[in-house]
Amino acid sequence: MSLIQMLVKEMKQEAQTTRKMLERVPNDKYDWQPHPKSMTIRQLTTHIAELPTWVSLALATDGLDFATNPYSPVTINNTTELMDLFERSLAEGETALSQATDEQLEPMWTLRHGDTILSKTTRGEMIRMSFSQIVHHRAQLGVFLRLLDIPIPGSYGPSADDSGF
């Protein structure tokens, strides 16, 4: 199995879990946040839903400079819009990845803010980092939902909310 095939398989597997988590967000909780330093659920879920586009970004560019390309998230107001954003982002990332070659994973990719280098990795490593970011922020969302008494779906096995656990 090629590296691309393994990454596509992983992306699809993680998307199933991410989809189950995002679907749980109630429409009346998008402005909720557990702490003033925390993101709101809207900010967090929008970021999660947009992260699959980092795969196509990593494959199509040599890097990203936040100083010249400030982050401007899509505005979502409900779970239908959230799921639509996630599915569009996933399709974009998955299409770019499935059309790539293993050799395209090798060039360096730089994440920066002006002269400050935040990360310098291969394109393949940046793709893996974007997958890790999805998992990381999905776990944050799980904590947010738990604090709101919303049942959490299992990720890599059953959760405490799954029947029979």
Side-chain angles (χ1 to χ4, degrees), residues 30-47:
Y30 277 87
D31 294 320
W32 186 85
Q33 64 190 113
H35 186 276
K37 291 183 180 180
S38 298
M39 289 185 270
T40 65
I41 285 182
R42 180 187 326 275
Q43 292 166 321
L44 180 58
T45 58
T46 299
H47 185 51

Side-chain angles (χ1 to χ4, degrees), residues 12-159:
K12 288 181 180 193
Q13 289 171 334
E14 290 300 331
Q16 290 175 356
T17 304
T18 302
R19 195 176 285 116
K20 288 189 298 185
M21 188 71 77
L22 293 176
E23 290 171 341
R24 303 279 173 113
V25 178
N27 288 333
D28 65 342
K29 298 298 182 192
Y30 277 87
D31 294 320
W32 186 85
Q33 64 190 113
H35 186 276
K37 291 183 180 180
S38 298
M39 289 185 270
T40 65
I41 285 182
R42 180 187 326 275
Q43 292 166 321
L44 180 58
T45 58
T46 299
H47 185 51
I48 293 167
E50 290 177 333
L51 275 167
T53 64
W54 279 64
V55 173
S56 52
L57 180 68
L59 289 167
T61 67
D62 293 328
L64 174 63
D65 185 349
F66 286 125
T68 58
N69 294 296
Y71 177 59
S72 180
V74 173
T75 301
I76 57 156
N77 294 302
N78 58 58
T79 305
T80 299
E81 291 175 5
L82 173 64
M83 297 310 297
D84 183 56
L85 175 60
F86 177 67
E87 295 301 339
R88 285 192 323 264
S89 298
L90 182 62
E92 177 186 319
E94 195 176 315
T95 297
L97 186 57
S98 65
Q99 294 173 353
T101 64
D102 285 359
E103 292 75 28
Q104 287 175 282
L105 302 175
E106 296 172 9
M108 296 305 291
W109 197 88
T110 305
L111 182 63
R112 65 180 346 118
H113 191 275
D115 292 334
T116 303
I117 304 291
L118 304 171
S119 173
K120 188 168 182 123
T121 63
T122 66
R123 288 179 176 171
E125 290 168 325
M126 180 49 61
I127 290 168
R128 283 289 304 121
M129 191 182 303
S130 71
F131 291 179
S132 295
Q133 281 289 299
I134 292 169
V135 172
H136 162 75
H137 289 301
R138 192 175 70 208
Q140 280 183 295
L141 179 59
V143 172
F144 285 28
L145 296 176
R146 175 69 73 216
L147 291 170
L148 292 169
D149 283 330
I150 297 166
I152 307 302
S155 293
Y156 302 106
S159 80

